[in-house]
Structures are given as C-alpha cells and as structure tokens.
C-alpha cells in the first residue's frame, strides 16, 4: 500500500484537471484495500475508487480519500477447445489486456482496442466501440462491498448492463470496489466488421480476410484519426451518451431536420448521434480561452488543452445541452462521471 498526502490529481485523470485530495491510497490486493479502509485517518472520510481516471471530470478538490485500484494480473481459470475463461485484475490497463488476448488468439474484445482506462472500470459503464460492448464477453466480476465487509461475485444479470450503463452507476454507485473481471473469449474468432468504418479501414489497409489482429489494427487506426490521445490532449472520450428517443419524437424532429442521422434500436426507439447534434449546434472544434473546448474531429469529445478547469468544462457541457435542447428538443445526457 502506498499513501500519498495531499497529492495533485492531475496525473490521475485523463482530462488533466489539477485538483487535490487529502489522501490517495494505492492498493493492489484485497488485504490492502481492507487495510486502507481501516486506517484511522481515513475511517471517517468520504472515499472513492479510482481506476485509470478516464471517464471522470473533477470540478473541485475531492474532500476525502481516493482509493486507486492497482490490482494486477491476468489468469486463465478454465480452457476448452473453443473457449477460454480469463480473469484480469482491476488495475490492468484495458488496452494491454486486449493486446495480450489478441496475442494468444482469444477473440471477442478486439473491436474495443485502445479504449482508455483499466479493466476494473470497463464494466461500470459497459464500455463499447465499433459494434461490440463488454457485456458480450462478460462472465462475472468480483467486487468488495464496504457495507458488507466482504467480496461478492456478480453475474452478468446482476450487473444490469445497458448502453453505457450498469448497476455500478446506479444502485451501487460508490458502494462497490471492482477488484477483478472475468471474461469468456473465443478461440474460433467471429470477426465483427459490421460497423461501417471498420470495413472501410480494412479496405484501405488492403486486407481481404481479416484476423483479430487486423480488426484491432483497423480500430486503432480509426480511433487515432478521430479521437484525441489523452496523453497529448486531456479528454475523457465521449462526454455525452448518444440519446435514445421515441419513434414519434424522432418523426416530429425529422420532418424539420430530414438530414439528421439515426439508428433504429427497437420498434419504438431511435438512437441519434450526439456528435452530429453538437456539430450542427456549432460547437465542433470550438476552443475557449485557448484552454478547453470541443474536439475538431469528434464533437462528442470535450477536450482540455491545458489549464482548463473542471468547472469550465462542465459549464461548456451545460451550454451544449441547452443549445441542443433548444434547437432539437433532445436532452443530452452526460456519460462522464462528474465529481
Ligand atoms: N457525427 C457527426 N459529427 C461528429 C461526430 C459524429 O456528425 O463530430 C455523426 C456522424 O453521422 C457519424 C455518427 O455520428 O456517422 C457516428 O459517429 P462515430 O462512429 O464516431 O460514433 P459515435 O456514435 O459518435 C460512439 C461511442 C464511442 C465509440 C464510437 C464507435 C458513445 C457515447 N460513443 O460514438 O465511444 O468509440 O461510437 O463505436 O456511444 C466513448 O465512449 O468514450 C467513445 C469514444
């Protein structure tokens, strides 16, 4: 266990927001985690789990103790001719895990290459990209629940996965410390290139019969061309969810704005790309005070060029929500956790 006193959190969040917390405790085992909770100086403080810090926005100092989940390790629990059950510690970097699995020939997560963050945070918002979400390969997870004083195994059903959603963002918000996640991956890959951009990219790369490594490379190329690298420009990926609206609401808006793209997701529901709405509202590529703004290639991503505060970025997100609501009568919802 490592205890940092009054550290800057700038390097612990991918937006690069320079706020502080009285304590940051790095833990890499269950014993450590429980010990951290029992430390007399931490006992009465508010606490929060932190992974890679890639899906949150600090709008102020955190008044309490941050528990940085560094649990390491990748372990095969079971293997058959067709599948492998593999468990990864919460602190394993997601993309490193993806590359490890691709190297072994285990398929199912290659479309989610290069998503920032750690394994432990992946189920929280049911991360997804290019036609695949984590719930499609999820087997179970283990979490320590301070209220119970013990760990609990969560099945897929118990996680209540939805679009960028799980029980850990609702009922169990701030109540569970995910320590490891177990996946079921396939040894006979079913390549998924249904998301248009992948097919195009594979064509550009001149690849006819792609393997999982090729799909991963295509996704990496697409992401690098569209999304800012948090190591270079502060950001937390998509700041908003793509709104899901009713068919009747969609039809009413569509008569006024026939060029609005949409994806039918059920008989009565339609998903609309938030990036398009934000772009149409005139925010794409806008920079404020030379410090923060909206990314030039993907309007769904708010960026901190350096020196922007969390409050300024939050206020910009409110401005965007208001503008989209006024023009399109669609209410955008933030996807990033606001603290
Ligand atoms: N679009 C615009 N302008 C923009 C951005 C997008 O018009 O500035 C429109 C275009 O019509 C485009 C469509 O939006 O065809 C879809 O864009 P894109 O393929 O970039 O995907 P997205 O819907 O904007 C979602 C995820 C991303 C994920 C991509 C690819 C959410 C909130 N975001 O974005 O996830 O990488 O699909 O699967 O669902 C993340 O969660 O952090 C993230 C980056």
């Amino acid at each position: 266990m490592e205890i940092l006193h009054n550290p800057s959190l700038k390097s612990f969040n991918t937006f690069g927001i320079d706020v502080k917390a009285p304590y940051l405790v790095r833990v890499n085992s269950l014993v450590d985690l429980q010990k951290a909770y029992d430390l007399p100086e931490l006992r009465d403080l508010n606490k929060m789990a932190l992974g890679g810090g890639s899906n949150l926005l600090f709008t102020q100092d955190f008044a309490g103790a941050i528990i940085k989940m560094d649990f390491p390790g990748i372990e095969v629990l079971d293997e058959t001719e067709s599948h492998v059950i593999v468990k990864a510690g919460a602190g394993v970097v997601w993309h490193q895990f993806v590359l490890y699995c691709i190297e072994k020939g285990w398929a199912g997560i290659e479309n989610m290459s290069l998503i920032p963050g750690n394994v432990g945070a992946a189920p929280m918002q049911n991360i997804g990209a290019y036609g695949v979400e984590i719930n499609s390969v999820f087997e179970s997870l283990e979490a320590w629940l301070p209220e119970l004083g013990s760990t609990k195994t969560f099945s897929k059903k118990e996680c209540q996965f939805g679009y960028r959603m799980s029980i850990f963002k609702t009922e169990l918000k701030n109540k569970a410390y995910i320590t490891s996640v177990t996946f079921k991956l396939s040894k006979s890959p079913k390549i998924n290139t249904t998301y248009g951009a992948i097919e195009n990219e594979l064509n550009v790369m001149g690849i006819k019969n792609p393997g999982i490594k090729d799909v991963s490379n295509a996704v990496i190329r697409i992401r690098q061309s569209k999304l800012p690298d948090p190591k270079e420009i502060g950001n937390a990926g998509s700041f908003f969810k793509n709104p899901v609206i009713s068919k009747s609401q969609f039809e009413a808006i569509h008569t006024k704005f026939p060029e609005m793209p949409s994806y039918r997701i059920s008989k009565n529901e339609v998903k609309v790309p938030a990036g398009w709405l934000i772009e149409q509202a005139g925010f794409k590529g806008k920079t404020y005070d030379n410090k923060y703004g909206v990314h030039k290639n993907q309007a769904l991503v708010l960026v901190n060029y350096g020196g922007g505060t969390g409050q300024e970025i939050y206020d910009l997100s409110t401005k965007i929500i208001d503008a989209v609501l006024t023009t399109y009568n669609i209410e955008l919802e933030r996807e990033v956790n606001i603290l």
Side-chain angles (χ1 to χ4, degrees):
M1 186 188 333
E2 186 191 356
I3 306 178
L4 307 181
H5 296 270
N6 218 22
S8 163
L9 301 179
K10 193 171 176 189
S11 62
F12 292 98
N13 71 96
T14 58
F15 253 124
I17 304 294
D18 196 3
V19 288
K20 289 188 162 223
Y23 295 97
L24 185 143
V25 187
R26 304 189 79 125
V27 296
N28 60 22
S29 69
L30 193 57
V31 173
D32 258 14
L33 175 57
Q34 282 165 325
K35 264 195 204 153
Y37 250 76
D38 285 341
L39 288 170
E41 63 266 45
L42 263 60
R43 197 168 293 148
D44 297 326
L45 293 181
N46 209 0
K47 299 180 194 68
M48 69 167 268
L50 180 69
S54 57
N55 199 43
L56 53 85
L57 178 67
F58 285 111
T59 57
Q60 55 189 325
D61 288 341
F62 182 74
I66 295 197
I67 312 286
K68 173 87 172 70
M69 301 293 285
D70 285 342
F71 289 53
I74 301 176
E75 189 188 345
V76 173
L77 300 185
D78 195 15
E79 197 163 356
T80 65
E81 259 180 36
S82 58
H83 286 93
V84 59
I85 305 289
V86 57
K87 173 173 157 177
V92 174
V93 173
W94 172 259
H95 184 59
Q96 298 306 322
F97 178 62
V98 173
L99 292 180
Y100 179 92
C101 295
I102 290 171
E103 193 62 34
K104 296 275 184 190
W106 303 335
I109 52 176
E110 57 281 357
N111 291 40
M112 293 183 283
S113 295
L114 214 61
I115 295 185
N118 293 354
V119 165
M124 293 200 58
Q125 90 245 33
N126 183 21
I127 60 167
Y130 304 102
V132 181
E133 287 181 342
I134 202 179
N135 67 353
S136 63
V137 287
F138 180 90
E139 185 72 8
S140 66
L141 65 76
E142 270 176 44
W144 185 69
L145 307 180
E147 278 176 19
L148 281 185
S150 63
T151 51
K152 174 175 158 52
T153 304
F154 287 78
S155 66
K156 192 194 286 196
K157 195 161 169 247
E158 286 170 312
C159 290
Q160 297 177 13
F161 290 124
Y163 166 56
R164 295 292 193 277
M165 186 49 78
S166 78
I167 193 168
F168 306 103
K169 276 183 104 174
T170 55
E171 222 176 289
L172 291 182
K173 193 171 177 173
N174 298 330
K175 291 186 174 159
Y177 289 75
I178 296 173
T179 56
S180 68
V181 186
T182 301
F183 303 87
K184 183 176 182 179
L185 301 176
S186 171
K187 289 186 180 173
S188 43
K190 274 196 211 84
I191 300 297
N192 181 344
T193 56
T194 47
Y195 204 95
I198 298 189
E199 293 252 310
N200 295 344
E201 198 61 39
L202 287 167
N203 281 337
V204 172
M205 290 159 71
I207 291 168
K208 295 249 158 16
N209 293 309
I212 53 177
K213 183 76 187 156
D214 300 316
V215 172
S216 170
N217 286 339
V219 167
I220 289 171
R221 285 167 59 118
I222 301 166
R223 289 189 74 100
Q224 285 176 339
S225 71
K226 275 191 153 188
L227 297 165
D229 179 350
K231 288 197 193 89
E232 286 157 20
I233 302 173
N235 76 90
S238 299
F239 199 90
F240 303 96
K241 289 188 192 183
N242 283 331
V244 175
I245 57 176
S246 69
K247 200 166 160 244
S248 53
Q249 189 188 358
F250 171 74
E251 276 159 7
I253 301 169
H254 196 245
T255 20
K256 266 170 88 184
F257 304 100
E259 68 288 5
M260 181 168 83
S262 64
Y263 315 94
R264 187 173 175 269
I265 59 165
S266 73
K267 205 164 148 255
N268 298 315
E269 288 175 314
V270 176
K271 198 186 251 184
V272 179
W276 186 86
L277 296 168
I278 298 166
E279 179 172 351
Q280 297 306 305
F283 288 97
K284 190 170 183 171
K286 279 256 171 89
T287 303
Y288 300 84
D289 302 335
N290 280 326
K291 292 194 298 196
Y292 63 99
V294 178
H295 193 243
K296 63 178 185 351
N297 297 335
Q298 167 54 288
L300 200 46
V301 179
L302 302 192
V303 287
N304 181 16
Y305 294 105
T309 67
Q311 190 60 47
E312 285 170 329
I313 293 167
Y314 181 81
D315 291 345
L316 170 60
S317 72
T318 306
K319 217 165 124 184
I320 292 172
I321 291 172
D322 291 346
V324 169
L325 187 62
T326 307
T327 313
Y328 296 98
N329 194 28
I330 294 176
E331 187 160 5
L332 292 181
E333 192 189 329
R334 295 179 184 88
E335 196 252 304
V336 164
N337 294 306
I338 309 295
L339 282 157

